[in-house]
Amino acid sequence: MTIYNKKQQQIAGEIEEGTAKSNWQDWRWQLKHSIKDIDTFEKLTDICFSEKERAEIEKTIARFPLNITPYYLSLIDAGDYKNDPVFHQAFPDPSELLMDRFEMKDPLLEEKDSPVQGITHRYPDRVLFLVSNVCSMYCRHCTRKRKVGDVDFIPSREIIKRGIDYIRSTPCVRDVLISGGDPFMLSDGYLDWVLGEVRRIPHVEVIRIGTRMPVVLPYRITDNLVTMLKKHQPLWINSHFNHPREITASSKEALQKMADAGFPLGNQTVLLAGVNDCPRIMRQLVYKLVQNRVRPYYLYQCDLSEGLSHFRTPVGKGMEIIESLIGHTSGFAVPTYVIDAPGGGGKIPIMPNYIISWSTNKVILRNFQGVITSYQEPEAYVSAFCDRNCKNCNLHLKVDEAPEYRSYGIEKLLSDGDETIALTPINGISYKEEYRENHNE
Ligand SMILES: *Cc1c(COP(=O)(O)O)cnc(C)c1O
Ligand code: SF4
């Protein structure tokens, strides 16, 4: 596979006669010529919709805009587009207008857990920071459909500054997940400023960026961008490949640049009906990811955002996929399958069951092949009573160097030094406030 193949040359030529390889590989050229209407789409792909189909697609676009980069469009197999995973992710489906009664605009309650605009603070030590509301391509399965492309959600410099202030004044935040939209839609200079501000905050240990550019616009990963990002290490970069077909010569080059620059790379995949709901496809995807030094991180159950019903699979499909990976392939090629809890509970990992039974001194387990085995538990283990007084503990924790740490949630029920015997959710009190109460912040 070459980077500027015949099909791409043909598409580029139709967009602008005499387009050189350097134009095609220029991300700004790609953005400028993104496909936003049916006519252009038809012209560039030779796909032809009926009048009835057009009318339905128009209606869908009016609600959820169409936006495809020429590069991503070039991956569509026009001859079999109705079964094409790239087409399904990029092109509107009238089913998007069918709302299931349990669907929600913001099923993850990202806005409720938002102390300031752009920040979602749901977990004790990390925040989600949305710095852009645009993407180079609008994924049809986007969980933040309500925001992406919406002019009401363009974060101004002022809003970003307030987000940064929140992080600065919240010492428990040690990990900042920068997302959007796509953060790489920002110019190098602007992103450099955002990253610099976050990096300067002493309690921020790790910064992560979530981007789909390696998939839909790999030319965005330029040498300049990578050089700028390197100033802000330690930085983790997470991408979003859903199908092995998306791993092309161009995306490999983008991944290589980032891996060579020393960023740990991860990937999150959304389980999508008609796109990747197949163990064989998923296995091919994770193989290709690890070949390119990308660690499969999460496999998401498609959430309950509006208009995604045609993409949703039963949870059993994800279980089947994970069952086909654990033990069958390298441990680091297996993502964690999660359901992002509707109502804002965060990500909940789900796994096939490997424990078959348990007695006071034996655990009965099964492996991926169906072998049933027993693990004899230690007879001499005496659980040391932990009263969280680490200074008197013989485990050699350097208390001055380790951050203060109190148990929270289920962990609290398990701990010795806490009197709590049951947890009661308090309606109307978000996690953040409850957490702060516990920490006397
Ligand atoms: C996913 C997510 C995170 C990061 O979660 P990890 O499990 O650490 O990757 C943080 N905040 C919010 C709101 C999220 O949705
Ligand atoms: S938290 Fe860990 S180090 Fe501290 S007392 Fe308990 S067991 Fe020991």
Side-chain angles (χ1 to χ4, degrees), residues 24-246:
W24 178 263
Q25 288 185 285
D26 174 353
W27 65 283
R28 293 191 186 276
W29 183 93
Q30 288 272 338
L31 287 182
K32 190 169 152 215
H33 296 287
S34 283
I35 293 89
K36 295 185 162 69
D37 64 274
I38 308 177
D39 285 342
T40 315
F41 183 87
E42 284 189 332
K43 191 178 115 198
L44 298 180
T45 55
D46 289 331
I47 293 172
C48 197
F49 301 104
S50 70
E51 276 310 308
K52 184 165 167 273
E53 284 172 325
R54 276 185 83 94
E56 288 184 326
I57 298 165
E58 289 287 5
K59 254 201 279 179
T60 316
I61 293 179
R63 176 85 204 270
F64 300 117
L66 161 74
N67 195 7
I68 314 177
T69 58
Y71 162 79
Y72 199 60
L73 178 117
S74 77
L75 307 187
I76 294 175
D77 174 5
D80 186 24
Y81 73 92
K82 289 198 169 152
N83 294 309
D84 187 274
V86 175
F87 176 82
H88 284 310
Q89 292 181 69
F91 198 78
D93 186 314
S95 312
E96 291 170 38
L97 298 178
L98 305 173
M99 303 287 162
D100 270 348
R101 70 191 150 76
F102 46 77
E103 290 182 350
M104 295 162 263
K105 263 207 175 63
D106 176 21
L108 312 178
L109 294 193
E110 289 186 333
E111 271 146 61
K112 179 168 157 278
D113 278 350
S114 177
V116 296
Q117 194 180 334
I119 296 257
T120 301
H121 190 177
R122 170 161 304 149
Y123 296 103
D125 66 344
R126 55 209 187 279
V127 292
L128 176 66
F129 189 13
L130 306 182
V131 297
S132 151
N133 81 317
V134 281
C135 289
S136 55
M137 203 252 331
Y138 292 162
C139 304
R140 306 319 296 181
H141 56 275
C142 181
T143 185
R144 299 201 189 104
K145 266 186 159 174
R146 69 186 190 281
K147 282 194 170 174
V148 170
D150 185 338
V151 288
D152 293 342
F153 279 109
I154 297 178
S156 65
R157 214 177 172 99
E158 270 319 299
I159 290 172
I160 302 230
K161 272 189 181 155
R162 260 178 271 148
I164 292 165
D165 286 343
Y166 176 80
I167 298 170
R168 191 180 295 115
S169 60
T170 315
C172 59
V173 177
R174 45 163 289 286
D175 173 6
V176 177
L177 168 46
I178 296 185
S179 185
D182 199 314
F184 287 166
M185 284 297 277
L186 304 178
S187 69
D188 292 0
Y190 191 71
L191 189 57
D192 189 19
W193 169 74
V194 176
L195 291 170
E197 289 295 300
V198 176
R199 181 43 78 216
R200 279 209 339 245
I201 302 171
H203 53 265
V204 174
E205 296 169 7
V206 166
I207 304 177
R208 307 188 238 181
I209 293 181
T211 175
R212 210 177 180 204
M213 289 293 187
V215 188
V216 294
L217 184 47
Y219 314 126
R220 175 66 184 98
I221 314 304
T222 59
D223 294 334
N224 276 348
L225 176 72
V226 169
T227 305
M228 180 277 282
L229 295 173
K230 271 173 88 165
K231 294 195 302 191
H232 306 286
Q233 290 275 33
L235 192 66
W236 295 58
I237 299 178
N238 247 334
S239 192
H240 175 179
F241 287 90
N242 285 333
H243 194 281
R245 273 254 313 277
E246 296 171 328

Side-chain angles (χ1 to χ4, degrees), residues 226 230 233 253-263 265 293:
V226 169
K230 271 173 88 165
Q233 290 275 33
E253 195 179 277
L255 294 171
Q256 187 185 342
K257 271 187 193 165
M258 296 192 293
D260 285 349
F263 307 119
L265 302 180
R293 290 178 281 176

Side-chain angles (χ1 to χ4, degrees), residues 308-322:
L308 301 187
S309 57
H310 60 297
F311 277 130
R312 259 176 237 126
T313 66
V315 173
K317 183 50 76 178
M319 289 292 240
E320 187 189 337
I321 287 166
I322 296 298

